[in-house]
Amino acid sequence: MQLKVFPQEALANHLGISIRIPIPTPFIAGLGVIGFILGIVSFAKNKDRSILTILSILAGLLIIF
């Protein structure tokens, strides 16, 4: 018997449903790193202090670390 870590996996396997992400994970991580770099550039060059710029920087930090 295989141990299921996430209850969603157990339910999906029980129902015969396959859960797939349509975009590869490295592609998503690459977009996060690009957003992080652009957020840093915008923050430094244009003194942009909007909440979305700061959120893109924080999301990029989560992906990197």
Side-chain angles (χ1 to χ4, degrees), residues 32-65:
V33 171
I34 290 170
F36 171 72
I37 293 170
L38 290 176
I40 293 288
V41 168
S42 176
F43 192 80
K45 186 177 178 185
N46 301 327
K47 305 292 186 228
D48 185 11
R49 305 264 192 299
S50 68
I51 190 71
L52 292 177
T53 302
I54 294 172
L55 284 177
S56 73
I57 293 171
L58 292 176
L61 286 174
L62 284 175
I63 291 172
I64 293 172
F65 298 109

Side-chain angles (χ1 to χ4, degrees), residues 2-15 17 19:
Q2 186 179 6
L3 178 64
K4 298 295 179 190
V5 178
F6 299 106
Q8 298 89 351
E9 286 182 11
L11 179 63
N13 288 337
H14 178 71
L15 296 175
I17 300 171
I19 299 173

